[in-house]
Amino acid sequence: MEDSRIIKTEYSEEMQKSFIDYAMSVIIARALPDVRDGLKPVQRRTLYDMYELGIRYDRPYRKCARIVGDTMGKYHPHGDSSIYDALVVMTQDFKRGLPLVDGHGNFGNIEGDGAAAMRYTEARLQKVTQEAYLADLDKDVVDFVPNFDETEKEPSVLPVKLPNFLINGSEGIAVGMATSTPPHNLGEVVDAMKAYMRDENVTTRELMRYLKGPDFPTGGIVTNKDDLLQIYETGTGKIKVRGKVEFEKLKGGKVNVVITEIPYPMIGMNISKFLSDVAGLVESKKTLDVVDISNQSSKEGIRIVIELRKDADAENFVNLLYKKTRLEDTFGVNMLAICDGRPETMGLKAILKANVDFQFQIATRKYNNLLARELERKEVQEGLIKACNVIDLIIEILRGSKDRNMAKACLVEGKTTGIKFKSKESKIMAAQLSFTERQANAILEMRLYKLIGLEIEALIKEHEDTMANIYRYEDILDRRDSMAQVIVNELDEFKKAYSRKRRTVIDNVEEAVYKEKEIEETEVVFLMDRFGYVKVIDTAAYERNREAAEAESRFLFPCKNTGKVCLFTSAGQLHSIKVMDLPFGKFRDKGVPIDNVSNYNSEKEQIVYITSQTQLNLRQVVFVTAQSMVKLVSGGEFDVSKRTVAATKLAEGDQVLSVMPLEEQSQVILQTKEGFFLKFGIEEIPEQKKAALGARGMKLGPRDCVENVYYTSNAVECSVEYKGKAIDLNRMKTARRDGKGTKIRV
């Protein structure tokens, strides 16, 4: 049995340490980009792997499955989907201002359709990626670190020559923090970077003369220009973005509203959500102007067409879209990146500083490396030129030496022992030779054709070029101004080759104001048949069909078209319905089920009473439950904004039996299941709030309950039929509330 040790530790301490380790791993090694190259580890590793595989812009495409598999096996030991997703995003020009990968095949679209499987798609590097992101990797400009299993080396950062963090932006969620940086215009970013290089004390406001604001690949309009200065100073804030709208006038006074650019946050499935939101505005009758809506977007660009009815106010309708849909949206800015090994929220100036410092760092390493190479070349060239001047002596040494080492020792140290010379003069001259070891090796490997006159002239010209390079590299390394000019020249070249016109408009735009059209208030009649179908008709149609309407309707009452209908249920709920939400039509129109226009659920509750809000406000309402609880409630308590509220409080197992607004009723009669009748005056019912249980109306037997409720008025005859027997309610003796009542025997 092997020896084992049990380490006792505090659980909370172990959890804290483990979680911090995990959080830092996610923050540094997965979710956040490095401010120097603007890339997350998965992006950096994918691009480097494509570079290593030789998938250059001028070579054939390679299967994405090959790229993903190679990246996962060598550098990124995580799921293949995360690598492929990163690769896909780097190809999408609607998500990135400067796509880094050239995709061939289906890589998804702006409407949210996903890319095809990696076994079908192909990719290669973009030209700009090769020139500005991966160039100089062979010049020791960045540190290389071991990969996850220490079998390969990978760059800790790519030698990116552009502020990619600003140009392409970044989005990522880590543990306890997230980054959200909008993309910017390449030309503007280059100009801002040059301005910072000219004066490191430049203010953010001055930098924004060059970098106006975000430049989303989807275009759109940034509407809060005045807020941008604060956002770029702090690195956080909210940018309001609108889609771009055009109006197309048609024959007959009709207008099409055409959306040609969308807000950046709308890309993906939010386009279909926008279409459904517009349809929802029509269904909820927020607008009656829409005739049709169609998405005619294609590879040429976004084109969403909304056809409006004749004489519609198109500008007011667009304001409605800004207010109620994602045609105006907010992009939350949090420019968080890894800087000096730790996450930091950075303003515009801090980001530019980090990038400029990085450019000077990689330029210093690059030109130190180039200078060392040129110095080696200079040494060799000078040795060959010197050798050409004494070529006869060197040939004599080579012919007189027994082996290479003997000849090399003579060239470097002047050792002549063992070498056969033709004359003493040659031996004396050979003893004076003092080539360096590198020069001696070059001489020994020199081919005879190099002795041709033109070749010697070419060697001398090459030496002159080498000396010029050395002078240039030393100047760049010794003078910061010279190195800055080299960096600026490269930036200008990239700007000339890859910049494009700004797509996003930056402006201050007043908040959209939608003016709802005033609806002319008219009198209508609410109808609900015995099947639960509801509709409203105008009063003239009702008068023409009064007899049929009263015969066919379960509930019928006049109301205003701007008012509400109140529906009381057996479960003690009040459902409010706007009259405008009810179908308006002809008397013989079918209507719609009341379940469709309210929260009423016919499977869980029954309708007890329906009336208009106007009638309720003027009266008191009598509530009677199956367990004989009664109360009076002021109708004004039911004038609420919510679609569903509790109309009364119920005891367990109880349900509402009757809801009746008071008009001229003077008595109420409760009839139980077992045949007990109790008649008492309305004045005996206490007035309470809608949240109260009420008072007991009559005493019930153990298994008895109220079955029917009747109301009588003074001097108005009222009789009911009970088990085939007519009962005159007016002649029934009036008792007191909370009595047992009289049993009617049949």
Side-chain angles (χ1 to χ4, degrees):
M1 181 176 177
E2 295 183 3
D3 292 337
S4 61
R5 290 186 303 139
I6 298 175
I7 301 174
K8 293 185 178 181
T9 183
E10 184 67 32
Y11 179 75
S12 60
E13 292 178 3
E14 185 64 29
M15 284 297 295
Q16 183 179 18
K17 180 180 180 300
S18 298
F19 185 78
I20 290 173
D21 290 345
Y22 160 73
M24 289 306 296
S25 174
V26 172
I27 291 167
I28 303 296
R30 295 188 76 172
L32 300 186
D34 191 303
V35 71
R36 295 172 295 175
D37 62 6
L39 299 171
K40 298 178 186 178
V42 63
Q43 297 169 323
R44 184 181 306 117
R45 289 164 175 169
T46 303
L47 293 177
Y48 179 66
D49 186 76
M50 294 177 74
Y51 172 82
E52 283 290 286
L53 290 174
I55 313 175
R56 313 297 168 85
Y57 76 93
D58 53 355
R59 296 185 186 177
Y61 294 94
R62 296 283 286 275
K63 285 288 184 184
C64 290
R66 169 67 192 277
I67 299 168
V68 170
D70 204 62
T71 303
M72 183 167 57
K74 288 182 178 177
Y75 309 115
H76 199 69
H78 301 285
D80 57 354
S81 61
S82 64
I83 301 171
Y84 186 50
D85 289 346
L87 180 65
V88 167
V89 170
M90 288 192 288
T91 69
Q92 295 174 329
D93 57 3
F94 54 85
K95 279 191 179 179
R96 293 289 174 260
L98 188 66
L100 304 180
V101 176
D102 179 11
H104 184 243
N106 176 15
F107 280 88
N109 58 33
I110 196 170
E111 296 182 34
D113 296 325
M118 67 180 82
R119 61 183 178 273
Y120 300 120
T121 55
E122 299 176 331
R124 64 184 177 190
L125 292 171
Q126 291 276 16
K127 186 177 181 182
V128 64
T129 314
Q130 205 166 307
E131 293 179 349
Y133 288 67
L134 296 162
D136 299 335
L137 272 174
D138 59 337
K139 297 181 177 66
D140 189 34
V141 292
V142 293
D143 293 332
F144 277 72
V145 295
N147 68 339
F148 62 91
D149 62 358
E150 299 187 355
T151 58
E152 302 277 347
K153 292 279 189 178
E154 61 175 311
S156 59
V157 63
L158 291 186
V160 179
K161 298 178 182 179
L162 294 167
N164 181 59
F165 183 64
L166 288 172
I167 293 170
N168 272 330
S170 183
E171 293 175 5
I173 299 173
V175 177
M177 58 185 69
T179 181
S180 179
T181 304
H184 295 80
N185 184 275
L186 186 150
E188 292 182 6
V189 172
V190 167
D191 290 341
M193 188 169 175
K194 286 161 60 180
Y196 178 82
M197 292 175 68
R198 285 194 298 269
D199 179 12
E200 293 186 356
N201 296 318
V202 66
T203 64
T204 303
R205 184 185 295 276
E206 290 169 338
L207 286 171
M208 290 186 67
R209 289 168 50 197
Y210 306 97
L211 192 149
K212 310 294 184 185
D215 187 21
F216 298 107
T218 54
I221 304 166
V222 170
T223 63
N224 58 332
K225 180 180 179 181
D226 287 346
D227 296 339
L228 295 182
L229 177 60
Q230 179 71 13
I231 291 171
Y232 284 113
E233 282 183 339
T234 62
T236 61
K238 292 182 178 179
I239 296 174
K240 294 180 181 178
V241 194
R242 282 184 183 177
K244 198 171 183 181
V245 175
E246 296 176 357
F247 299 112
E248 290 182 354
K249 293 184 179 179
L250 307 176
K251 293 180 181 178
K254 287 188 175 182
V255 175
N256 281 353
V257 172
V258 182
I259 298 162
T260 56
E261 295 177 5
I262 59 173
Y264 187 67
M266 195 198 280
I267 59 177
M269 298 306 294
N270 286 325
I271 293 180
S272 59
K273 187 179 185 307
F274 168 75
L275 298 175
S276 65
D277 286 346
V278 175
L281 292 174
V282 177
E283 291 174 6
S284 63
K285 299 186 179 178
K286 292 283 184 185
T287 178
L288 301 175
D289 293 337
V290 178
V291 175
D292 188 28
I293 180 170
S294 60
N295 185 3
Q296 302 175 11
S297 303
S298 63
K299 290 182 178 179
E300 281 68 44
I302 292 291
R303 181 178 168 83
I304 299 172
V305 181
I306 303 173
E307 184 181 343
L308 302 184
R309 64 175 176 78
K310 185 178 179 182
D311 300 327
D313 187 341
E315 290 189 3
N316 195 44
F317 172 74
V318 170
N319 284 340
L320 173 66
L321 296 183
Y322 288 147
K323 295 287 285 184
K324 299 293 185 181
T325 71
R326 298 193 72 166
L327 190 59
E328 179 174 296
D329 212 339
T330 300
F331 183 93
V333 177
N334 186 28
M335 295 195 287
L336 179 73
I338 303 300
C339 182
D340 295 329
R342 57 191 295 270
E344 185 178 339
T345 300
M346 310 173 75
L348 174 61
K349 189 174 175 181
I351 293 169
L352 291 175
K353 179 183 184 305
N355 277 271
V356 169
D357 290 347
F358 182 56
Q359 292 309 312
F360 275 99
Q361 178 187 330
I362 61 176
T364 300
R365 292 181 64 165
K366 172 183 176 180
Y367 286 104
N368 272 323
N369 187 283
L370 290 176
L371 179 61
R373 292 185 189 179
E374 290 299 321
L375 289 173
E376 287 180 10
R377 193 173 289 119
K378 169 180 172 284
E379 181 183 341
V380 170
Q381 290 166 352
E382 289 177 345
L384 292 177
I385 292 171
K386 182 180 174 183
C388 288
N389 293 331
V390 289
I391 192 64
D392 293 335
L393 175 62
I394 289 173
I395 291 173
E396 192 173 339
I397 293 169
L398 294 177
R399 294 185 66 181
S401 299
K402 294 181 179 178
D403 55 30
R404 178 188 173 98
N405 290 336
M406 184 180 288
K408 184 176 179 182
C410 181
L411 293 174
V412 175
E413 301 173 19
K415 291 182 179 180
T416 58
T417 306
I419 301 176
K420 294 180 180 179
F421 290 96
K422 292 182 179 178
S423 64
K424 287 184 180 182
E425 290 79 7
S426 296
K427 187 172 183 179
I428 293 170
M429 290 175 64
Q432 296 173 359
L433 294 177
S434 59
F435 290 99
T436 66
E437 190 155 333
R438 185 176 285 113
Q439 290 173 336
N441 286 330
I443 292 168
L444 292 171
E445 293 169 2
M446 182 176 66
R447 298 190 178 185
L448 289 176
Y449 78 89
K450 289 287 186 180
L451 300 176
I452 299 172
L454 290 177
E455 289 293 331
I456 295 172
E457 289 179 13
L459 180 62
I460 294 171
K461 178 67 172 61
E462 188 179 327
H463 180 253
E464 291 172 355
D465 292 341
T466 299
M467 293 303 295
N469 286 338
I470 290 171
Y471 175 78
R472 176 168 169 261
Y473 296 156
E474 286 177 341
D475 180 64
I476 290 171
L477 291 167
D478 292 341
R479 296 175 57 239
R480 185 176 175 87
D481 288 349
S482 296
M483 185 175 289
Q485 190 59 51
V486 170
I487 295 170
V488 167
N489 291 343
E490 285 188 335
L491 290 173
D492 287 338
E493 288 176 9
F494 293 132
K495 177 183 174 181
K496 183 178 179 180
Y498 302 110
S499 66
R500 54 166 175 72
K501 290 183 179 179
R502 164 172 280 279
R503 296 174 184 172
T504 301
V505 176
I506 308 290
D507 203 355
N508 284 315
V509 182
E510 292 183 6
E511 188 174 347
V513 177
Y514 172 67
K515 296 178 181 177
E516 291 193 30
K517 292 184 179 178
E518 294 184 4
I519 301 170
E520 185 180 349
E521 189 175 79
T522 59
E523 189 87 12
V524 293
V525 178
F526 172 89
L527 302 172
M528 186 181 107
D529 63 20
R530 62 183 183 276
F531 300 109
Y533 282 78
V534 295
K535 62 178 178 283
V536 290
I537 59 175
D538 61 36
T539 52
Y542 167 69
E543 291 297 336
R544 289 194 302 270
N545 300 276
R546 178 189 288 267
E547 191 173 327
E550 292 177 350
E552 297 172 8
S553 300
R554 180 181 171 191
F555 292 101
L556 181 155
F557 52 82
C559 57
K560 299 288 186 183
N561 64 336
T562 56
K564 289 191 291 187
V565 171
C566 296
L567 184 156
F568 294 90
T569 72
S570 58
Q573 298 292 308
L574 166 65
H575 302 294
S576 296
I577 310 166
K578 289 183 180 179
V579 176
M580 289 296 296
D581 291 340
L582 298 171
F584 179 87
K586 300 177 182 177
F587 174 69
R588 286 301 170 190
D589 288 347
K590 188 175 182 180
V592 298
I594 197 163
D595 307 50
N596 293 1
V597 290
S598 70
N599 292 336
Y600 166 68
N601 188 339
S602 57
E603 296 180 0
K604 296 181 179 179
E605 51 190 348
Q606 288 78 47
I607 297 172
V608 175
Y609 192 73
I610 303 178
T611 188
S612 71
Q613 182 71 63
T614 306
Q615 290 176 338
L616 274 183
N617 288 345
L618 300 174
R619 296 176 177 81
Q620 290 180 307
V621 182
V622 180
F623 278 81
V624 181
T625 74
Q627 294 181 8
S628 86
M629 303 303 289
V630 297
K631 67 177 177 181
L632 278 173
V633 181
S634 172
E637 284 202 46
F638 303 110
D639 191 356
V640 293
S641 58
K642 292 183 179 180
R643 292 190 68 187
T644 300
V645 295
T648 186
K649 186 177 181 181
L650 292 173
E652 187 176 352
D654 201 2
Q655 62 179 5
V656 176
L657 201 64
S658 171
V659 176
M660 180 61 64
L662 281 185
E663 294 183 23
E664 298 178 356
Q665 301 94 321
S666 55
Q667 295 93 23
V668 60
I669 298 96
L670 306 183
Q671 174 232 310
T672 72
K673 190 175 181 181
E674 294 185 357
F676 287 89
F677 283 73
L678 178 64
K679 178 180 179 182
F680 55 89
I682 294 289
E683 67 276 1
E684 290 197 45
I685 302 176
E687 183 173 352
Q688 297 179 329
K689 296 293 184 183
K690 70 179 192 308
L693 273 171
R696 190 165 64 181
M698 69 184 295
K699 294 174 182 176
L700 300 174
R703 287 179 293 277
D704 204 2
C705 64
V706 178
E707 192 173 54
N708 286 305
V709 182
Y710 308 105
Y711 298 90
T712 62
S713 303
N714 295 328
V716 178
E717 293 292 327
C718 183
S719 63
V720 297
E721 184 178 310
Y722 175 67
K723 293 186 178 181
K725 180 180 179 180
I727 299 174
D728 189 344
L729 297 178
N730 296 87
R731 298 182 64 182
M732 184 178 289
K733 183 180 178 181
T734 302
R736 301 295 299 273
R737 180 181 62 80
D738 203 23
K740 190 173 181 182
T742 304
K743 183 160 186 171
I744 302 296
R745 301 188 183 277
V746 180

